[in-house]
Amino acid sequence: MPAAAPMRRTSPGAPLLTLATLAVAAAVSACSPERLSSPPSASPNGAPSAGVASAPGYIRIGVVPEASAINIGGTGNYTITDDVTGATLLSGNASEATVTLASVTEKVIYWRVQVQCASNQVYVSDWVRRVGDAGYDPYTEYVPAARCWRLRVGRFATKADALAAQPELYRLGLAPAKTGGAAFQVTEFVGVTKYQATLGQTVAQSTNPLRVIPQDGNVSIAGRPYRGVGEVRVNGSGSLAGINELLIEDYLLGVVPRELGPIAYPYLEALKAQAVAARTYAIAGLGKRRNDGYDLLPTTSDQVYGGLKDEYPLSSQAVTETSGIVATYNGKLIEALYSSTTGGFTANNEDVYNSAPVPYLRGVPDAERGNALDHVPSLEVFVNHANPKSLRNAAEGDFEADWSKYHRWYIDWTPEEMSNVVANYFKVAPAKVLSVDVTQRSGSGRALELQFVTENGTFTETKDRIRSALKFYTSSGTMTSIYSTLFYIQPVVDPKTKELTGWEAWGGGWGHGLGLSQTGAVGMAEKGAGYEEILKHYYQGITLEQR
């Protein structure tokens, strides 16, 4: 049986909030600590009032970050339990239950204590305010025959609790006497949203999130097997999230082969470097998305994670042989950013994002040439490259050149295509594009500012957002973002008519270009570098620690 995440966490899940009061008694406001109350919850009407934390050594991945229905179960025997109480709701074998949110009507009974009947309306209004400020529920009801307002307090679980609260209400100046009040029962029918799990003909409901625990085999979520346990809860936007909670080391077994494929790149030291970077990123990112009920996404927004199905012996060996090792700078975990291909020179962090310079995220060449900026790729380098689309085209010893088809690339646009690109990104009407120019460039050669001059005006974008602004058309006719900001663009002019016929760009790399180059790591490993040398090349001045 695989290692499972703990049955309880430091911040347990909680019930969904009541949605509506239907009838019978007057509406009531929020509960005070002394009465029937709801712990922090994940409400379908808003963000969770308290985030969910992973237990030490574990991580929570939103493998299905948002859905109206989630299928969850196991590859073998499993149980679905109430995440707060631990009660078993249903069991299954080699199947998945469908979890949805269901609206049901429930009968709720509670008690109020009446402290007086007051005839002064100004006093009544002030009393209502003071009761609310004290954290209680005020309730008033005018009695024509008596010409006064009944002043009642609370939402107490029992009659005895209601009467026992009067001395404290007296102390707070909310009741005229310590005793003598009367308790009244209130019945409400309220609309409540519950988690509903359906497996065949069996239906189970719970106000708390659902937890799936495999008894043998593994948990499965949306048809994919995972180590650890599964969970379904409401996320910050009010829809359902399918979550896999597991040991961080087990999580990495499903990350490394997806981030750096061990079949295409069968170099253990490169995979070890990837494992350390991924581990560092994961631990530093714990709690990053806690208001959605998990830590990280399984996509390039964080790290690509495929679960048990994508594990592979060589990448698993890399994880095992670096177990617990992380990268630090001055004793703190680094922000272990990485990208597929840098194009020959990595980026400084401030050239990509609006942030202060980070000492370990400095631009370095992707080759054994020292750190001189003389080796930053130029337009001449790109244009004269033997074949910018070659998968295995060696180029002056660059580590990644032999391993990535994105080390060098070429793109072109027609005038109509560029007009559509500008209109799509800047949300303006299509117009003739007069020029497209890089107006600022970083020391590593990357575009810092891109300017589009059109008949509708001039539009500008900066840093890594340039990748989204300068889209290009694929062979299928769809627009996609340019691979990196390490490019040179120039107009194409008909030599006879001198008319603009489009634009062409030569570039290199895929991704933001910060930190570790994944294909560069493969190139270094092929040339005999160990994982520590690889990491210290791409992350300047770091230390590797066991944690």
Side-chain angles (χ1 to χ4, degrees):
M1 180 177 173
M7 295 264 313
R8 293 289 170 268
R9 298 182 302 284
T10 53
S11 296
L16 297 174
L17 294 178
T18 294
L19 293 180
T21 298
L22 299 182
V24 179
V28 295
S29 59
C31 306
S32 78
E34 292 86 1
R35 304 175 308 272
L36 293 175
S37 60
S38 298
S41 63
S43 168
N45 292 323
S49 56
V52 180
S54 293
Y58 288 81
I59 192 166
R60 294 167 60 82
I61 309 300
V63 293
V64 181
E66 187 169 5
S68 58
I70 292 176
N71 294 328
I72 189 166
T75 61
N77 291 300
Y78 65 90
T79 58
I80 297 180
T81 66
D82 182 305
D83 191 41
V84 174
T85 67
T88 297
L89 302 176
L90 55 80
S91 301
N93 174 254
S95 60
E96 289 186 341
T98 299
V99 179
T100 56
L101 293 175
S103 296
V104 298
T105 300
E106 289 191 339
K107 181 179 180 180
V108 177
I109 297 175
Y110 59 92
W111 292 79
R112 294 180 180 135
V113 59
Q114 181 170 319
V115 295
Q116 67 181 113
C117 196
S119 58
N120 186 313
Q121 189 171 358
V122 174
Y123 171 82
V124 172
S125 297
D126 180 67
W127 179 87
V128 168
R129 178 189 59 78
R130 290 186 291 112
V131 170
D133 289 345
Y136 291 90
D137 281 339
Y139 173 79
T140 64
E141 178 183 335
Y142 185 68
V143 185
R147 295 183 180 182
C148 66
W149 283 267
R150 291 170 178 164
L151 304 186
R152 297 177 180 178
V153 179
R155 189 180 174 92
F156 298 96
T158 67
K159 180 178 181 180
D161 289 341
L163 295 174
Q166 192 167 345
E168 175 64 11
L169 296 175
Y170 173 75
R171 188 187 70 80
L172 295 172
L174 304 176
K178 292 183 178 180
T179 59
F184 296 86
Q185 181 176 297
V186 179
T187 300
E188 290 181 350
F189 291 90
V190 296
V192 175
T193 296
K194 290 189 173 185
Y195 297 91
Q196 178 170 290
T198 303
L199 182 61
Q201 301 299 312
T202 305
V203 178
Q205 293 182 337
S206 173
T207 54
N208 301 312
L210 305 184
R211 197 163 179 82
V212 179
I213 304 170
Q215 306 304 309
D216 52 62
N218 297 94
V219 68
S220 65
I221 305 174
R224 292 189 69 90
Y226 297 94
R227 294 174 182 266
V229 302
E231 183 178 300
V232 178
R233 67 166 49 239
V234 169
N235 62 20
S237 64
S239 63
L240 292 174
I243 300 162
N244 177 211
E245 184 174 26
L246 71 168
L247 288 165
I248 292 175
E249 294 299 314
D250 286 347
Y251 159 70
L252 295 172
L253 298 176
V255 170
V256 175
R258 289 298 300 270
E259 285 289 356
L260 190 62
I263 298 176
Y265 308 108
Y267 288 88
L268 180 60
E269 293 303 309
L271 292 166
K272 286 183 178 180
Q274 177 65 70
V276 173
R279 181 181 296 108
T280 305
Y281 184 95
I283 297 174
L286 291 174
K288 178 181 178 181
R289 304 178 188 276
R290 64 182 299 162
N291 283 342
D292 282 319
Y294 48 82
D295 299 305
L296 300 177
L297 288 167
T299 67
T300 53
S301 294
D302 288 312
Q303 300 187 120
V304 181
Y305 168 61
L308 191 65
K309 191 174 182 179
D310 290 327
E311 293 181 14
Y312 192 79
L314 188 62
S315 52
S316 294
Q317 180 183 349
V319 173
T320 302
E321 292 186 5
T322 62
S323 178
I325 296 176
V326 294
T328 64
Y329 187 86
N330 287 340
K332 297 181 180 180
L333 291 170
I334 70 167
E335 188 175 4
L337 298 174
Y338 51 87
S339 63
S340 166
T341 310
T342 67
F345 212 98
T346 67
N348 295 320
N349 69 285
E350 67 272 20
D351 295 338
V352 178
Y353 302 120
N354 294 322
S355 57
V358 176
Y360 53 82
L361 291 177
R362 299 295 84 199
V364 296
D366 176 56
E368 299 172 296
R369 304 176 188 155
N371 291 329
L373 291 177
D374 295 341
H375 300 296
V376 171
S378 64
L379 174 59
E380 184 180 5
V381 169
F382 286 139
V383 173
N384 293 333
H385 195 272
N387 185 342
K389 294 183 179 179
S390 173
L391 178 62
R392 293 182 58 81
N393 187 23
E396 302 178 8
D398 286 357
F399 293 131
E400 66 188 18
D402 290 343
W403 291 99
S404 177
K405 62 183 178 181
Y406 301 110
H407 180 66
R408 295 285 179 264
W409 43 260
Y410 169 84
I411 299 171
D412 58 14
W413 296 262
T414 66
E416 293 76 18
E417 288 174 338
M418 188 62 79
S419 175
N420 290 334
V421 166
V422 175
N424 176 267
Y425 183 78
F426 292 101
K427 308 302 181 187
V428 295
K432 183 178 180 180
V433 179
L434 305 176
S435 66
V436 181
D437 297 296
V438 175
T439 53
Q440 291 185 46
R441 198 173 289 277
S442 73
S444 64
R446 283 174 167 74
L448 286 181
E449 183 178 272
L450 184 68
Q451 185 179 84
F452 302 88
V453 178
T454 79
E455 291 183 340
N456 275 351
T458 299
F459 304 93
T460 302
E461 192 50 280
T462 61
K463 299 189 177 183
D464 202 52
R465 292 189 298 273
I466 290 172
R467 287 200 288 157
S468 298
L470 187 58
K471 289 183 167 60
F472 67 94
Y473 282 84
T474 66
S475 58
S476 63
T478 59
M479 282 193 288
T480 190
S481 297
I482 198 169
Y483 296 146
S484 81
T485 57
L486 185 58
F487 67 87
Y488 292 82
I489 188 168
Q490 62 182 25
V492 179
V493 178
D494 187 297
K496 293 182 179 180
T497 65
K498 306 303 181 183
E499 291 184 357
L500 179 70
T501 61
W503 285 266
E504 56 188 2
W506 287 268
W510 189 10
H512 49 60
L514 289 172
L516 175 72
S517 164
Q518 292 168 303
T519 51
V522 173
M524 289 187 71
E526 182 190 30
K527 293 175 173 63
Y531 77 92
E532 184 171 351
E533 180 183 351
I534 294 170
L535 290 167
K536 290 184 176 180
H537 173 72
Y538 288 108
Y539 303 116
Q540 296 285 293
I542 64 164
T543 300
L544 298 185
E545 298 182 10
Q546 183 84 37
R547 288 196 177 183

